[in-house]
Every structure is written in structure tokens, then in C-alpha cells.
Amino acid sequence: MKPGPSDLVTQITRRQWLLRLGETVALAGVSGLIPEYPLGFFSNEAPSLPPGLYDPSPDHLVHALSGHHLPVPAAGSETDYVQAGASHSLQFFSAEDFNTITGFISTLLGDLPGNTLNEVAQWVDLWCCSAQGVREPARNLDPLHRALAVAYFGEASVAEIEAADPASIVRQGITELNRICQDEHGNAFASLAVPEQQHVVRSISTRKDSSLHKFFELIRNEAIRGYYTSAAGLKELDYKGNTYYPYCPGCESQKT
């Protein structure tokens, strides 16, 4: 009796899982660590798949990434979307320091469309808040995982993440920034006129060996990152990403 279509699908799916399972166990065996969930596939009652371990179909990916019919995750879940214009609760800065950072970013990037300046400042707030959460896991990586990270990113990059403390640099930088502004202009940075703010920022950028220069570089780098990952920045870059092709579109250039 020949197998029907449903039987063939089951066999193919089972074969794919067995091949993938073999890869998983082989890779895990190299490190001496075999996770519990692959072992369950050898028993008669296979457990449900762990979160994220599934193969989306091309149609599903097109639907998810087309932008026209966004899937709706559970509210508050890790995959929930950030809604444009949603209120932002400060995670790192006080309201006063946030005004200082916002003014500093405005001096660095100039006039930005719409609510983009506030969005970039919010990104810097979230980035500073998450700095410790990035550093601590990096310092406690399994030796094999660290070796893999070093092989991929290089020792210098891994060591920088382990040692970097941007939150302290930013806090110290804001304090020093306001002290200089008080000494030179009689007011805090956020209260200065735009020409005075520009003068202060230019002077900081030339102090190569000072803590303020480290502050300047950190905020500048994250302000640029925040802008070019905002809607306005992506539009300026004419970004065409987040598009899934279920087939290779091929080269569109004319052959000569």
C-alpha cells in the first residue's frame, strides 16, 4: 500500500527533525552540555517545542514582515511592539538630566523633524539603563561561550563590553558639563542659549584626554545610532530592509 500525501508529509517532517536533532546533539556534545529538550525526542512521548523553535512558512514570513498586516503579540510580552508616540517613562535620567541630554543631542544633530529629537533622547535613556544588564552577563559568560565570542568579535571588543561602564561616564559627564557651564556662563547647560550650548559642545570635543570627551563620544555615538534607527533616520537612508523574499529575485542589472 502506497503512502498517502499526509503520510509523506509526516515522513519528511520527521526526517527533517531527526537531521536537525542530530545536529543539535552533535554541537551540544562538543561543549559537553546537552540540553534536556532534545533528549525528549528519543522517547515515545516527545515534549512540546520550546519557545522560538519552529519553522515559519514563507507565506507566514511575508505576512509578518510586509508591514501591512502586522501580527499582534500579547500585550506586555517580550515581542510586543513599541507604539509610535507612546509615553516614555524615564529609566535612567532624572527629568532635569533628560532635558540636559535632549539639549546636548539637539546641539549635535541640529534640527530634527517631528518628535525625532525626543525619540533619540529616549533611546539614550534606555541605552544607559541597560548598560549594566549587558555588562554583567558578559562578565559571567561560560568560558566556551566567551571563547566563541572572542573568535567571532575579537578579544578587544569582548574585553570592552566586559569593562565598559557607560552609565558612570554619562552621570559624571553631566555633572562636569553643568559645572563648566556654571563657571563659564553662569547657568546649567539646559538653560543656556543655543549659541552658548554650541560653544560648550565644541570645546568639549577638543578635550581629548578628559572625562568630558568620553561623555561627548558616548552621547554622540548613541545619538547617531538612535537617529538612524528612527523612522526619520531610516527614511533619510532610504532604507529598504525588513522585506522577506520567498524566492531569489535575481540580479536586475542589464547584462552587457
Side-chain angles (χ1 to χ4, degrees):
M1 183 177 190
K2 293 184 179 181
S6 61
D7 295 325
L8 290 175
V9 171
T10 300
Q11 292 175 14
I12 293 172
T13 303
R14 178 179 175 81
R15 185 177 299 113
Q16 289 174 337
W17 269 110
L18 287 174
L19 289 172
R20 187 163 301 176
L21 177 61
E23 295 172 355
T24 303
V25 174
L27 290 173
V30 172
S31 65
L33 301 173
I34 301 181
E36 293 181 2
Y37 67 83
L39 299 180
F41 286 104
F42 291 113
S43 64
N44 292 329
E45 296 182 1
S48 60
L49 298 180
L53 189 57
Y54 68 96
D55 285 329
S57 68
D59 289 341
H60 175 259
L61 287 174
V62 170
H63 173 82
L65 297 177
S66 65
H68 301 295
H69 303 285
L70 292 174
V72 181
S77 67
E78 292 182 359
T79 56
D80 194 9
Y81 292 102
V82 175
Q83 301 298 326
S87 60
H88 172 76
S89 299
L90 296 177
Q91 305 295 313
F92 179 80
F93 295 115
S94 65
E96 182 180 356
D97 287 346
F98 186 72
N99 287 337
T100 299
I101 288 297
T102 302
F104 198 89
I105 293 172
S106 178
T107 304
L108 291 171
L109 300 183
D111 293 332
L112 297 177
N115 193 45
T116 306
L117 174 60
N118 194 47
E119 292 176 357
V120 175
Q122 290 174 5
W123 158 251
V124 175
D125 176 65
L126 291 173
W127 172 73
C128 290
C129 176
S130 64
Q132 181 177 353
V134 172
R135 183 175 64 254
E136 291 305 318
R139 289 178 175 177
N140 293 284
L141 275 180
D142 177 275
L144 289 175
H145 291 168
R146 188 184 188 281
L148 180 62
V150 169
Y152 189 83
F153 296 105
E155 176 67 35
S157 296
V158 173
E160 181 181 356
I161 294 175
E162 294 170 339
D165 189 2
S168 294
I169 292 175
V170 170
R171 289 199 186 281
Q172 182 180 352
I174 291 177
T175 300
E176 186 67 12
L177 173 67
N178 284 324
R179 185 191 65 79
I180 288 178
C181 291
Q182 287 284 359
D183 293 344
E184 297 182 358
H185 301 280
N187 221 331
F189 180 83
S191 299
L192 298 181
V194 172
E196 292 174 328
Q197 289 182 339
Q198 292 173 342
H199 171 76
V200 171
V201 172
R202 279 195 297 268
S203 67
I204 290 173
S205 67
T206 61
R207 304 182 184 188
K208 300 297 183 182
D209 298 326
S210 68
S211 59
L212 265 178
H213 186 72
K214 292 181 180 179
F215 166 78
F216 168 82
E217 288 189 326
L218 283 174
I219 299 302
R220 179 190 59 184
N221 291 344
E222 293 311 313
I224 292 172
R225 191 195 310 274
Y227 173 67
Y228 282 111
T229 52
S230 70
L234 291 173
K235 182 178 180 180
E236 181 178 321
L237 293 173
D238 195 25
Y239 180 65
K240 301 295 186 184
N242 292 344
T243 301
Y244 176 81
Y245 293 98
Y247 56 87
C248 179
C251 179
E252 297 179 358
S253 64
Q254 297 292 330
K255 294 183 179 180
T256 57

